[in-house]
Amino acid sequence: MVAEKIEPTTSIRAHLKLEEGEDVYCLMRVRYYNDEPFSVEIAYMPYKYVEGIEDYDFSKVSLYDFMAKKDHDPCDFHRSLIVQFPDDRISKLLGNLVEPVFRFQYIGFDKEKNVVEYTHSYIRSDKSTYRFRI
């Protein structure tokens, strides 16, 4: 798990609707199923909405429960799904995976319509199935 305040890239800043110089908190977690890495989640949040986050252990506390305490929990989402091959870093985190992954992108908004989360979730396609009804 990686949890730290970062200087956001131009892309992250744009997705989070931040001004130059505003800090972002990054929380990256690897989730396991049957002792195998199953997914990697990388969440970016404007630090101004999650101050004090570094004092929490997110292996034991829910991120959204923490955000609710700050009154900035996401309640509306824009989501997209892309199937792609993982880059080297994601491949290694998923056990040197060579198969494509499902990459979900989430942009979360709080009740005041502030962008409070920008997340990429990489899920092993060899261990999961998604069905959509259109």
Side-chain angles (χ1 to χ4, degrees):
M1 178 166 41
V2 174
E4 61 188 357
K5 195 187 312 184
I6 64 166
E7 172 88 21
T9 64
T10 301
S11 175
I12 292 168
R13 186 180 306 111
H15 280 94
L16 291 172
K17 309 267 190 251
L18 296 177
E19 298 294 326
E20 184 83 29
E22 289 189 87
D23 289 326
V24 168
Y25 197 79
C26 176
L27 179 62
M28 182 174 72
R29 299 180 278 189
V30 178
R31 297 190 184 266
Y32 290 82
Y33 179 74
N34 288 338
D35 296 324
E36 283 188 88
F38 176 75
S39 69
V40 175
E41 292 180 357
I42 307 170
Y44 302 99
M45 297 147 286
Y47 188 73
K48 63 186 174 186
Y49 298 135
V50 295
E51 286 187 38
I53 192 170
E54 52 279 312
D55 297 330
Y56 287 80
D57 179 354
F58 289 102
S59 66
K60 298 176 182 164
V61 177
S62 159
L63 174 61
Y64 287 171
D65 287 348
F66 170 79
M67 292 175 81
K69 287 180 185 176
K70 293 291 191 175
D71 206 26
H72 287 291
D73 50 319
C75 57
D76 186 29
F77 295 89
H78 293 174
R79 299 178 186 108
S80 63
L81 168 63
I82 299 166
V83 178
Q84 68 181 56
F85 285 96
D87 63 24
D88 289 343
R89 177 178 69 148
I90 299 299
S91 174
K92 286 177 186 166
L93 290 169
L94 292 174
N96 295 313
L97 184 71
V98 295
E99 290 87 6
V101 293
F102 295 112
R103 186 186 103 194
F104 287 90
Q105 177 179 289
Y106 302 89
I107 299 175
F109 301 85
D110 67 11
K111 64 185 176 203
E112 302 296 325
K113 305 294 183 211
N114 298 304
V115 180
V116 295
E117 173 190 17
Y118 172 52
T119 295
H120 292 272
S121 181
Y122 301 87
I123 301 170
R124 292 179 59 158
S125 64
D126 62 330
K127 302 282 185 187
S128 58
T129 303
Y130 292 90
R131 291 180 175 80
F132 295 91
R133 204 179 240 166
I134 299 176

